[in-house]
Amino acid sequence: ASSAASDVYKRQEKGGAHIFVMRADSTVEKRFIETGPEFQNNMVVERGLNPGENVVVEGYHKLTPGMKVRVSDAVTSDTDEE
């Protein structure tokens, strides 16, 4: 199953591309992902992200796994505006 995500920042490092996902306890998890081709200005995530999960889109460069975070403004997918 694939997920399309807009405004998601992925980082490349030794070991592959990763993102930060917010857990239910408001801590972040560093998640390695497999990406596919871009589709309509969205990045396709082939593996490593489930529908409905909250992905960090700002401040990611300051994060470390397990750090506590809070949501300031939720970003919705472009498909919500159509």
Side-chain angles (χ1 to χ4, degrees), residues 20-71:
F20 282 97
V21 178
M22 189 171 125
R23 298 181 187 153
D25 66 355
S26 297
T27 60
V28 292
E29 171 186 353
K30 181 178 176 180
R31 181 92 54 87
F32 284 92
I33 58 171
E34 183 179 314
T35 59
E38 285 192 19
F39 177 72
Q40 295 181 353
N41 215 22
N42 289 315
M43 174 179 61
V44 175
V45 179
E46 298 285 349
R47 287 188 176 80
L49 181 64
N50 297 311
E53 289 187 303
N54 293 315
V55 177
V56 175
V57 296
E58 289 186 24
Y60 42 80
H61 57 285
K62 300 176 186 177
L63 296 176
T64 57
M67 182 180 272
K68 199 115 172 134
V69 295
R70 66 178 173 78
V71 176

Short mmCIF file of all heavy atoms in Angstrom, two decimals, residues 20-71:
data_model
loop_
_atom_site.label_atom_id
_atom_site.label_comp_id
_atom_site.label_asym_id
_atom_site.label_seq_id
_atom_site.Cartn_x
_atom_site.Cartn_y
_atom_site.Cartn_z
N PHE A 20 10.28 11.90 10.51
CA PHE A 20 9.92 11.80 11.92
C PHE A 20 8.40 11.72 12.01
O PHE A 20 7.69 12.53 11.42
CB PHE A 20 10.43 13.01 12.72
CG PHE A 20 11.89 12.92 13.05
CD1 PHE A 20 12.83 13.55 12.26
CD2 PHE A 20 12.32 12.17 14.14
CE1 PHE A 20 14.19 13.48 12.56
CE2 PHE A 20 13.67 12.08 14.44
CZ PHE A 20 14.61 12.73 13.65
N VAL A 21 7.92 10.72 12.74
CA VAL A 21 6.49 10.47 12.92
C VAL A 21 6.17 10.70 14.39
O VAL A 21 6.90 10.25 15.28
CB VAL A 21 6.13 9.02 12.52
CG1 VAL A 21 4.67 8.73 12.75
CG2 VAL A 21 6.51 8.77 11.05
N MET A 22 5.04 11.39 14.66
CA MET A 22 4.62 11.64 16.04
C MET A 22 3.80 10.46 16.54
O MET A 22 2.85 10.03 15.91
CB MET A 22 3.78 12.91 16.11
CG MET A 22 3.50 13.34 17.52
SD MET A 22 2.74 14.98 17.52
CE MET A 22 1.27 14.63 18.44
N ARG A 23 4.19 9.94 17.69
CA ARG A 23 3.46 8.82 18.33
C ARG A 23 2.30 9.35 19.17
O ARG A 23 2.20 10.55 19.43
CB ARG A 23 4.41 8.05 19.25
CG ARG A 23 5.56 7.41 18.56
CD ARG A 23 6.38 6.67 19.60
NE ARG A 23 7.60 6.15 19.04
CZ ARG A 23 8.69 5.94 19.72
NH1 ARG A 23 8.74 6.20 21.02
NH2 ARG A 23 9.76 5.46 19.14
N ALA A 24 1.47 8.45 19.64
CA ALA A 24 0.31 8.81 20.47
C ALA A 24 0.71 9.51 21.76
O ALA A 24 -0.04 10.32 22.30
CB ALA A 24 -0.52 7.56 20.77
N ASP A 25 1.92 9.21 22.29
CA ASP A 25 2.38 9.84 23.54
C ASP A 25 3.10 11.17 23.30
O ASP A 25 3.77 11.68 24.19
CB ASP A 25 3.27 8.87 24.33
CG ASP A 25 4.58 8.55 23.63
OD1 ASP A 25 4.80 8.99 22.47
OD2 ASP A 25 5.40 7.82 24.23
N SER A 26 2.97 11.71 22.08
CA SER A 26 3.57 13.00 21.68
C SER A 26 5.09 12.99 21.60
O SER A 26 5.73 14.03 21.66
CB SER A 26 3.10 14.14 22.60
OG SER A 26 1.71 14.30 22.46
N THR A 27 5.68 11.81 21.47
CA THR A 27 7.11 11.73 21.21
C THR A 27 7.29 11.40 19.73
O THR A 27 6.36 10.93 19.07
CB THR A 27 7.81 10.66 22.07
OG1 THR A 27 7.24 9.38 21.78
CG2 THR A 27 7.69 10.97 23.55
N VAL A 28 8.49 11.69 19.21
CA VAL A 28 8.74 11.42 17.80
C VAL A 28 9.56 10.15 17.62
O VAL A 28 10.40 9.81 18.45
CB VAL A 28 9.43 12.60 17.09
CG1 VAL A 28 8.50 13.77 16.99
CG2 VAL A 28 10.73 12.98 17.74
N GLU A 29 9.29 9.51 16.52
CA GLU A 29 10.00 8.30 16.13
C GLU A 29 10.65 8.56 14.78
O GLU A 29 10.01 9.07 13.86
CB GLU A 29 9.00 7.15 16.00
CG GLU A 29 9.56 5.90 15.39
CD GLU A 29 8.48 4.86 15.15
OE1 GLU A 29 7.32 5.04 15.57
OE2 GLU A 29 8.81 3.85 14.52
N LYS A 30 11.92 8.23 14.67
CA LYS A 30 12.61 8.33 13.39
C LYS A 30 12.24 7.08 12.60
O LYS A 30 12.43 5.96 13.07
CB LYS A 30 14.12 8.38 13.63
CG LYS A 30 14.95 8.50 12.39
CD LYS A 30 16.41 8.58 12.81
CE LYS A 30 17.34 8.61 11.65
NZ LYS A 30 18.74 8.70 12.13
N ARG A 31 11.67 7.28 11.43
CA ARG A 31 11.16 6.17 10.65
C ARG A 31 11.81 6.13 9.28
O ARG A 31 11.77 7.10 8.54
CB ARG A 31 9.65 6.36 10.50
CG ARG A 31 8.91 5.30 9.76
CD ARG A 31 8.36 4.19 10.61
NE ARG A 31 7.53 4.57 11.72
CZ ARG A 31 6.22 4.76 11.66
NH1 ARG A 31 5.57 4.63 10.53
NH2 ARG A 31 5.55 5.07 12.75
N PHE A 32 12.44 5.02 8.94
CA PHE A 32 13.01 4.86 7.61
C PHE A 32 11.89 4.52 6.65
O PHE A 32 10.99 3.74 6.98
CB PHE A 32 14.10 3.79 7.61
CG PHE A 32 15.37 4.30 8.23
CD1 PHE A 32 15.61 4.12 9.58
CD2 PHE A 32 16.29 5.01 7.47
CE1 PHE A 32 16.77 4.63 10.16
CE2 PHE A 32 17.44 5.52 8.05
CZ PHE A 32 17.68 5.32 9.39
N ILE A 33 11.93 5.15 5.48
CA ILE A 33 10.87 4.97 4.50
C ILE A 33 11.46 4.60 3.15
O ILE A 33 12.63 4.85 2.88
CB ILE A 33 10.01 6.24 4.35
CG1 ILE A 33 10.86 7.45 3.93
CG2 ILE A 33 9.21 6.51 5.60
CD1 ILE A 33 10.07 8.68 3.55
N GLU A 34 10.60 4.02 2.34
CA GLU A 34 10.95 3.75 0.94
C GLU A 34 10.01 4.60 0.11
O GLU A 34 8.80 4.51 0.26
CB GLU A 34 10.74 2.27 0.64
CG GLU A 34 11.13 1.88 -0.76
CD GLU A 34 10.92 0.39 -0.99
OE1 GLU A 34 11.31 -0.41 -0.13
OE2 GLU A 34 10.35 0.05 -2.04
N THR A 35 10.59 5.46 -0.72
CA THR A 35 9.77 6.35 -1.52
C THR A 35 9.68 5.87 -2.96
O THR A 35 10.57 5.18 -3.47
CB THR A 35 10.34 7.79 -1.52
OG1 THR A 35 11.66 7.77 -2.04
CG2 THR A 35 10.33 8.37 -0.11
N GLY A 36 8.58 6.25 -3.58
CA GLY A 36 8.36 5.96 -4.99
C GLY A 36 8.44 7.26 -5.76
O GLY A 36 8.97 8.26 -5.27
N PRO A 37 7.87 7.29 -6.94
CA PRO A 37 7.89 8.50 -7.76
C PRO A 37 7.00 9.59 -7.17
O PRO A 37 6.08 9.29 -6.40
CB PRO A 37 7.35 8.04 -9.11
CG PRO A 37 6.50 6.86 -8.79
CD PRO A 37 7.14 6.20 -7.61
N GLU A 38 7.29 10.83 -7.53
CA GLU A 38 6.41 11.93 -7.12
C GLU A 38 5.15 11.88 -7.98
O GLU A 38 5.20 11.51 -9.14
CB GLU A 38 7.10 13.28 -7.28
CG GLU A 38 8.12 13.53 -6.21
CD GLU A 38 8.59 14.97 -6.18
OE1 GLU A 38 7.89 15.85 -6.72
OE2 GLU A 38 9.65 15.20 -5.60
N PHE A 39 4.02 12.25 -7.37
CA PHE A 39 2.75 12.25 -8.08
C PHE A 39 2.01 13.54 -7.73
O PHE A 39 1.69 13.78 -6.58
CB PHE A 39 1.92 11.03 -7.66
CG PHE A 39 0.56 10.99 -8.28
CD1 PHE A 39 0.39 10.71 -9.62
CD2 PHE A 39 -0.56 11.26 -7.52
CE1 PHE A 39 -0.87 10.67 -10.19
CE2 PHE A 39 -1.83 11.24 -8.08
CZ PHE A 39 -1.98 10.94 -9.42
N GLN A 40 1.76 14.38 -8.71
CA GLN A 40 1.06 15.65 -8.53
C GLN A 40 1.63 16.45 -7.36
O GLN A 40 0.93 16.89 -6.47
CB GLN A 40 -0.44 15.42 -8.35
CG GLN A 40 -1.10 14.84 -9.57
CD GLN A 40 -2.59 14.63 -9.38
OE1 GLN A 40 -3.12 14.81 -8.28
NE2 GLN A 40 -3.26 14.25 -10.44
N ASN A 41 2.95 16.61 -7.35
CA ASN A 41 3.66 17.38 -6.34
C ASN A 41 3.61 16.75 -4.95
O ASN A 41 3.83 17.41 -3.95
CB ASN A 41 3.15 18.82 -6.30
CG ASN A 41 4.26 19.80 -5.98
OD1 ASN A 41 5.43 19.49 -6.20
ND2 ASN A 41 3.92 20.94 -5.46
N ASN A 42 3.29 15.47 -4.87
CA ASN A 42 3.30 14.72 -3.62
C ASN A 42 4.36 13.64 -3.70
O ASN A 42 4.60 13.08 -4.77
CB ASN A 42 1.95 14.04 -3.35
CG ASN A 42 0.87 15.02 -3.00
OD1 ASN A 42 1.07 15.93 -2.21
ND2 ASN A 42 -0.29 14.86 -3.60
N MET A 43 4.97 13.32 -2.56
CA MET A 43 5.93 12.25 -2.50
C MET A 43 5.15 10.97 -2.18
O MET A 43 4.33 10.95 -1.26
CB MET A 43 6.94 12.52 -1.38
CG MET A 43 7.90 11.38 -1.15
SD MET A 43 9.10 11.74 0.15
CE MET A 43 8.05 12.00 1.57
N VAL A 44 5.39 9.92 -2.93
CA VAL A 44 4.74 8.64 -2.67
C VAL A 44 5.63 7.84 -1.73
O VAL A 44 6.80 7.64 -2.00
CB VAL A 44 4.49 7.86 -3.98
CG1 VAL A 44 3.92 6.48 -3.68
CG2 VAL A 44 3.55 8.64 -4.89
N VAL A 45 5.06 7.41 -0.59
CA VAL A 45 5.78 6.59 0.36
C VAL A 45 5.30 5.16 0.16
O VAL A 45 4.14 4.84 0.43
CB VAL A 45 5.53 7.06 1.82
CG1 VAL A 45 6.27 6.16 2.80
CG2 VAL A 45 5.96 8.50 2.00
N GLU A 46 6.19 4.32 -0.32
CA GLU A 46 5.84 2.93 -0.61
C GLU A 46 5.81 2.08 0.66
O GLU A 46 4.98 1.19 0.79
CB GLU A 46 6.84 2.32 -1.60
CG GLU A 46 6.86 3.01 -2.95
CD GLU A 46 5.66 2.65 -3.82
OE1 GLU A 46 4.90 1.74 -3.48
OE2 GLU A 46 5.49 3.32 -4.85
N ARG A 47 6.74 2.35 1.58
CA ARG A 47 6.83 1.57 2.82
C ARG A 47 7.30 2.47 3.96
O ARG A 47 8.08 3.38 3.75
CB ARG A 47 7.84 0.43 2.68
CG ARG A 47 7.38 -0.70 1.82
CD ARG A 47 8.38 -1.87 1.91
NE ARG A 47 7.91 -3.01 1.16
CZ ARG A 47 8.02 -3.15 -0.16
NH1 ARG A 47 8.60 -2.20 -0.86
NH2 ARG A 47 7.58 -4.22 -0.77
N GLY A 48 6.79 2.20 5.16
CA GLY A 48 7.29 2.89 6.35
C GLY A 48 6.36 3.93 6.94
O GLY A 48 6.66 4.50 7.98
N LEU A 49 5.22 4.18 6.30
CA LEU A 49 4.27 5.17 6.79
C LEU A 49 2.86 4.62 6.59
O LEU A 49 2.54 4.11 5.53
CB LEU A 49 4.42 6.48 6.03
CG LEU A 49 3.51 7.64 6.42
CD1 LEU A 49 3.81 8.09 7.86
CD2 LEU A 49 3.69 8.81 5.46
N ASN A 50 2.04 4.74 7.63
CA ASN A 50 0.66 4.26 7.57
C ASN A 50 -0.30 5.43 7.43
O ASN A 50 -0.04 6.51 7.96
CB ASN A 50 0.32 3.46 8.83
CG ASN A 50 1.18 2.23 8.97
OD1 ASN A 50 1.32 1.46 8.03
ND2 ASN A 50 1.79 2.06 10.13
N PRO A 51 -1.42 5.22 6.73
CA PRO A 51 -2.42 6.29 6.60
C PRO A 51 -2.85 6.81 7.98
O PRO A 51 -3.04 6.04 8.91
CB PRO A 51 -3.58 5.61 5.89
CG PRO A 51 -2.96 4.47 5.16
CD PRO A 51 -1.83 4.00 6.04
N GLY A 52 -2.96 8.13 8.09
CA GLY A 52 -3.40 8.74 9.34
C GLY A 52 -2.31 9.08 10.32
O GLY A 52 -2.55 9.75 11.32
N GLU A 53 -1.07 8.64 10.08
CA GLU A 53 0.01 8.97 11.00
C GLU A 53 0.41 10.43 10.82
O GLU A 53 0.34 10.97 9.72
CB GLU A 53 1.22 8.06 10.77
CG GLU A 53 0.98 6.66 11.22
CD GLU A 53 2.22 5.80 11.16
OE1 GLU A 53 2.81 5.70 10.06
OE2 GLU A 53 2.61 5.26 12.20
N ASN A 54 0.82 11.06 11.92
CA ASN A 54 1.24 12.46 11.90
C ASN A 54 2.74 12.54 11.64
O ASN A 54 3.54 12.00 12.39
CB ASN A 54 0.92 13.15 13.22
CG ASN A 54 -0.56 13.28 13.43
OD1 ASN A 54 -1.29 13.66 12.53
ND2 ASN A 54 -1.02 12.97 14.64
N VAL A 55 3.10 13.26 10.56
CA VAL A 55 4.49 13.40 10.16
C VAL A 55 4.94 14.83 10.46
O VAL A 55 4.23 15.79 10.18
CB VAL A 55 4.64 13.10 8.65
CG1 VAL A 55 6.07 13.32 8.20
CG2 VAL A 55 4.19 11.69 8.35
N VAL A 56 6.13 14.97 11.03
CA VAL A 56 6.69 16.29 11.32
C VAL A 56 7.08 16.97 10.01
O VAL A 56 7.77 16.37 9.18
CB VAL A 56 7.92 16.16 12.24
CG1 VAL A 56 8.58 17.52 12.45
CG2 VAL A 56 7.53 15.54 13.57
N VAL A 57 6.61 18.20 9.84
CA VAL A 57 6.93 18.95 8.62
C VAL A 57 7.74 20.21 8.90
O VAL A 57 8.24 20.83 7.97
CB VAL A 57 5.65 19.31 7.81
CG1 VAL A 57 4.97 18.06 7.31
CG2 VAL A 57 4.70 20.17 8.62
N GLU A 58 7.87 20.61 10.15
CA GLU A 58 8.69 21.78 10.51
C GLU A 58 9.47 21.46 11.78
O GLU A 58 8.98 20.77 12.66
CB GLU A 58 7.81 23.00 10.77
CG GLU A 58 7.20 23.57 9.52
CD GLU A 58 6.45 24.87 9.78
OE1 GLU A 58 6.76 25.55 10.77
OE2 GLU A 58 5.55 25.16 9.01
N GLY A 59 10.68 21.99 11.86
CA GLY A 59 11.50 21.81 13.05
C GLY A 59 12.19 20.46 13.12
O GLY A 59 12.79 20.12 14.13
N TYR A 60 12.11 19.68 12.05
CA TYR A 60 12.68 18.33 12.01
C TYR A 60 14.18 18.32 12.26
O TYR A 60 14.71 17.38 12.82
CB TYR A 60 12.37 17.66 10.67
CG TYR A 60 12.54 18.61 9.52
CD1 TYR A 60 13.80 18.88 9.01
CD2 TYR A 60 11.45 19.28 8.98
CE1 TYR A 60 13.97 19.79 7.99
CE2 TYR A 60 11.61 20.19 7.95
CZ TYR A 60 12.87 20.45 7.46
OH TYR A 60 13.03 21.36 6.46
N HIS A 61 14.88 19.38 11.87
CA HIS A 61 16.33 19.43 12.04
C HIS A 61 16.74 19.53 13.51
O HIS A 61 17.88 19.30 13.85
CB HIS A 61 16.92 20.60 11.23
CG HIS A 61 16.34 21.93 11.59
ND1 HIS A 61 15.07 22.32 11.19
CD2 HIS A 61 16.84 22.94 12.34
CE1 HIS A 61 14.83 23.52 11.68
NE2 HIS A 61 15.88 23.93 12.37
N LYS A 62 15.80 19.85 14.39
CA LYS A 62 16.09 19.96 15.82
C LYS A 62 15.72 18.70 16.59
O LYS A 62 15.97 18.61 17.79
CB LYS A 62 15.29 21.12 16.43
CG LYS A 62 15.61 22.46 15.82
CD LYS A 62 14.71 23.52 16.42
CE LYS A 62 14.88 24.86 15.73
NZ LYS A 62 13.97 25.87 16.25
N LEU A 63 15.13 17.71 15.92
CA LEU A 63 14.59 16.55 16.60
C LEU A 63 15.60 15.44 16.82
O LEU A 63 16.51 15.25 16.04
CB LEU A 63 13.42 15.97 15.80
CG LEU A 63 12.20 16.85 15.65
CD1 LEU A 63 11.17 16.17 14.76
CD2 LEU A 63 11.60 17.19 17.00
N THR A 64 15.36 14.71 17.89
CA THR A 64 16.05 13.45 18.14
C THR A 64 14.97 12.44 18.50
O THR A 64 13.93 12.81 19.07
CB THR A 64 17.07 13.56 19.29
OG1 THR A 64 16.40 14.01 20.47
CG2 THR A 64 18.20 14.50 18.95
N PRO A 65 15.16 11.16 18.17
CA PRO A 65 14.15 10.15 18.48
C PRO A 65 13.79 10.16 19.97
O PRO A 65 14.66 10.28 20.83
CB PRO A 65 14.83 8.84 18.08
CG PRO A 65 15.79 9.25 17.01
CD PRO A 65 16.29 10.60 17.45
N GLY A 66 12.50 10.08 20.26
CA GLY A 66 12.01 10.06 21.63
C GLY A 66 11.71 11.43 22.21
O GLY A 66 11.14 11.55 23.30
N MET A 67 12.06 12.50 21.48
CA MET A 67 11.81 13.86 21.95
C MET A 67 10.31 14.13 21.99
O MET A 67 9.56 13.70 21.12
CB MET A 67 12.50 14.85 21.01
CG MET A 67 12.35 16.30 21.42
SD MET A 67 13.22 17.38 20.23
CE MET A 67 14.84 17.39 20.97
N LYS A 68 9.86 14.84 23.01
CA LYS A 68 8.46 15.23 23.15
C LYS A 68 8.18 16.44 22.27
O LYS A 68 8.96 17.38 22.24
CB LYS A 68 8.17 15.56 24.61
CG LYS A 68 6.73 15.53 24.98
CD LYS A 68 6.53 14.42 25.98
CE LYS A 68 5.13 14.45 26.53
NZ LYS A 68 4.53 13.16 26.56
N VAL A 69 7.05 16.41 21.53
CA VAL A 69 6.68 17.51 20.64
C VAL A 69 5.21 17.85 20.83
O VAL A 69 4.47 17.12 21.49
CB VAL A 69 6.93 17.14 19.16
CG1 VAL A 69 8.40 16.95 18.88
CG2 VAL A 69 6.13 15.92 18.74
N ARG A 70 4.81 18.97 20.24
CA ARG A 70 3.40 19.33 20.26
C ARG A 70 3.01 19.80 18.87
O ARG A 70 3.83 20.33 18.12
CB ARG A 70 3.10 20.40 21.30
CG ARG A 70 3.73 21.73 21.04
CD ARG A 70 3.35 22.77 22.11
NE ARG A 70 4.10 24.00 21.93
CZ ARG A 70 3.83 24.92 21.02
NH1 ARG A 70 2.81 24.77 20.22
NH2 ARG A 70 4.55 26.01 20.93
N VAL A 71 1.75 19.65 18.54
CA VAL A 71 1.24 20.08 17.25
C VAL A 71 0.86 21.54 17.35
O VAL A 71 0.13 21.94 18.26
CB VAL A 71 -0.01 19.25 16.84
CG1 VAL A 71 -0.61 19.78 15.55
CG2 VAL A 71 0.34 17.78 16.72
#
